[in-house]
Amino acid sequence: HSKRWCITAYHIWDAIAASNTLAEDSGVRMKGADFFFPVPIEEDPEQMSKMLEIMSSGIRGFRRDPAIIGERGIDTSYGAVDAYEHLAPIIDTDQSMKWLTGLVERKGAKLVTKTLHGDLFHQEAALRAEYHADVIINATGLAGTELAGDNSCYPIRGGLIRVINDGTDFAKLDHALTITADAVHDSSEIVFIVPRNDNILLIGGIAEPHETKLCLTLDSPIIKRMRARCEAFLPGLRNARLDPEYPLAQGLRPFRQRNVRVERELRVHEPTPAGTTLPLPSRIIHSYGQGGAGWSLSFGCAADVASLVKEALLDLPARAMGVEVLAAPKPEAFSVPVTELADSRIMARL
């Protein structure tokens, strides 16, 4: 599922970035994303397989060339010996969230803030009646533990340092630079350097499973190690100035032990004496557990949710995620047939 979701989202972000107006409004640009490796890629079967998959997937701008290391000013003593790059959506997430919120509001959505506790399945009838909703979409991230009765959800705390990327203190970066944990086979060696679209550069990163408190500071040992690692990788960052307004970003990524969940609620409502004579499928659709890949999977997951909404409205039996009736189709433009959903109301927990 995840590969299909990612490719679907990639092509939609790419199309958005191709429009000057939409790119400006949404904060999305297609820029180079560079990946570095400590050994020739052919010597790592997993990374070789990933590279070949990228090359055949339709992702634009692919180039495999160790010369990228020198072009980006990477310190060769860090250990990078091979590299490739491709175009990827670089998203100003603050701007994009404003744009997406405005988009759904212009389509008639009413945003309501409310705290819910307990399993949604046992509250389904009451919530649908309260909001006059035909379907409930549970996209609540870490709250899946409580709202979906799913004890496999857990947080991974992350943190990023924000520095000024205007070309004054070091050569302005316009490419994302990454040496990932799986490439070096050591989760303590993540390098993640990404330019936003507003002269801010994000440098990181860290991943702390089951940490729930947002109490990191620039003086936290793990943050100091993260910065030192990035400066060793890209020496120009030693001169970087912190963003004075927002120097450190931190948050909890909503992970799930059993991978991302995009499926209908599998439990059924048992018949009541005054109700139906057969068990009734739930009209709850779950979409959570995307971890740190929410933007990368976004439109792909949403397209599957739209299909599941149509199934739920027909009260068809729910199928577990692993059950496929047909092979996944080639990604198509994301759309929801208005004629089929015009009389339906959907409550989304965003």
Side-chain angles (χ1 to χ4, degrees), residues 320-335:
M321 278 185 66
V323 178
E324 295 280 359
V325 175
L326 296 171
K330 291 182 64 176
E332 298 178 357
F334 174 70
S335 64

Side-chain angles (χ1 to χ4, degrees), residues 1 40 64 71-72 77 84 102 113 125 132 134 148 153 162 195 247 257 270 292 310 314 335 339 346:
H1 294 284
R64 190 270 182 94
E71 293 171 7
R72 303 291 175 254
S77 67
Y84 63 70
T113 300
H132 308 287
D134 293 300
C153 300
R162 294 164 52 97
Q257 291 174 351
E270 296 299 327
K310 290 189 285 186
L314 296 173
S335 64
T339 55
I346 301 170

Side-chain angles (χ1 to χ4, degrees), residues 158-165 170 173 177 190-196 200-206 218 223-224 226-231 233-234 236-238 240-242 247-249 253:
L160 297 168
I161 295 173
R162 294 164 52 97
V163 300
I164 305 300
N165 185 33
F170 57 90
L173 274 180
L177 312 177
I190 300 171
V191 170
F192 177 80
I193 302 171
V194 178
R196 283 170 47 116
I200 293 294
L201 184 70
L202 305 177
I203 62 176
I206 59 172
L218 291 170
I223 297 298
K224 286 185 174 181
M226 178 183 78
R227 183 169 187 175
R229 187 165 63 245
C230 291
E231 289 175 351
F233 179 74
L234 189 67
L237 293 178
R238 295 183 179 122
R241 284 174 295 134
L242 294 172
L248 177 66
R253 305 178 181 114

